[in-house]
Amino acid sequence: MDTILVINAGSSSVKFQVYSIEGEGKLRRQIKGQMDGIGSRPRLRATGAGGDPLADRAYPIEAVPDLPTAMGVAGEWLREEIQVTPIAVGHRVVHGGPDYDRPVLIDHGVVARLERFVTLAPLHQPHNLTPIRSVLTNYPGLPQVACFDTAFHRTHDPVADHYAIPHQLYAEGVRRYGFHGLSYEYISRTLPSVAPDIAKGRVIVAHLGSGASMCALKDGRSVESTMGFTALDGVPMGTRPGQIDPGVVLYLLTEKGMPPAKVQDFLYRDCGLKGLSGVSNDMRELQESTDPKAKLAVDHFVYRVGVNAGMLAAALQGLDAFVFTAGIGENSASIRARVVEQLGWFGARLDAAENARHAQKISQAGSAVPVYVIPTDEELMIAQHTLALLMNGHSHNRAEKVS
Ligand code: AMP
């Protein structure tokens, strides 16, 4: 059975999925797993196609101190115990910079280019590149494909792509990129089968997870996003603030004397729902909490999603549909209900019963703006891109381990 391995590597976890290639280029998910707690409480978990448990193992911290070791342990498990020998590997790479507007087959030159974008995404890009380098070294004949979170947004008009700063910085790469592109691309590709009448229209997609952003789609293409140069901008997230006046950053640097590295850590890890509530970065815990600051954090989140919807609708010059996706968007009926209430001035009307049962369409029949819930699948998107590049004339080299 030919398979494709999909890897999504972060600072403390590496997630992986294995897809079998069925007839006519169809993909079927066979294994979903992750090694998390790298460097703290390492644990390998994996399930099969039907959700059946395949592995749940804890490791001593010394056994999996870093990402390369985690890759090695997970890879060995896949190879030796599950007998998976993929014909290609697809990677999630957060930043494709100004260069990449689509997935790319990886070679040493591509890696060198992607290394240049580490400064644009210092907390994500290095971890994305680690497994790529490790596969290049150990399996040089195995095709690898990089799929970028930024690529789907490269269709933005220059007027949306710029900050009002001197052009030299734009030329250096300081642009409004937008992220979560693989998720939006999946939704864009799925919309024609869910709602063919509006798939070509003006649609806002709200990817509301621990990372959160929103995207304006026109005719299935991204025209605007709430995220910009980094994944810090836009709506509040689990631990990131979303839109913030740069003056606040200056205040932290000058008045509070925080070193830049501390400011970076603060903005990525200590703000958002966690910072505002002082309770948790997890939406479920905030909704269960009786702490007034937890309530404020949830209220702020809903309010900012509504405000950003207004901005994106202005970019689209109207609104034909609204789509929820990701952890909060797919699972929290109460947050969806509150966001749709914020969209009331567009004429959006919630069907409470359909929303409560997490139906695909959760707006009333007469709603001026239909509202949908579409579960996202970024990993499937990566597998599809990887297969498409393989079928595009690239030979299927099997992995050959180099000692
Ligand atoms: P993601 O990053 O897409 O996996 O989403 C994670 C976020 O989804 C976390 O903030 C979770 O608290 C939130 N989430 C998942 N399920 C629910 C739920 N039933 N109600 C509220 N929030 C949820």
Side-chain angles (χ1 to χ4, degrees), residues 165-175:
I165 54 178
H167 192 80
Q168 174 56 31
L169 285 164
Y170 179 85
E172 283 173 24
V174 184
R175 306 178 184 194

Side-chain angles (χ1 to χ4, degrees), residues 15 207-211 238 273 281-285 287 325-335 358 376:
K15 296 179 186 157
H207 176 110
L208 307 180
S210 43
L273 298 174
N281 62 341
D282 190 300
M283 185 56 90
R284 280 167 297 202
E285 288 178 26
Q287 289 183 296
T325 194
I328 299 171
E330 291 168 26
N331 297 303
S332 177
S334 61
I335 295 290
H358 304 287
T376 195

Side-chain angles (χ1 to χ4, degrees), residues 232-246:
L232 283 171
D233 205 356
V235 294
M237 290 161 250
T239 59
R240 292 170 254 165
Q243 186 186 11
I244 193 167
D245 184 336

Side-chain angles (χ1 to χ4, degrees), residues 180-198:
H180 292 134
L182 292 160
S183 174
Y184 294 126
E185 188 177 11
Y186 176 81
I187 301 294
S188 167
R189 288 196 184 188
T190 306
L191 261 176
S193 57
V194 171
D197 44 329
I198 51 105

Side-chain angles (χ1 to χ4, degrees), residues 339-349:
V339 169
V340 175
E341 207 178 311
Q342 292 275 315
L343 305 176
W345 66 278
F346 286 122
R349 299 283 177 267

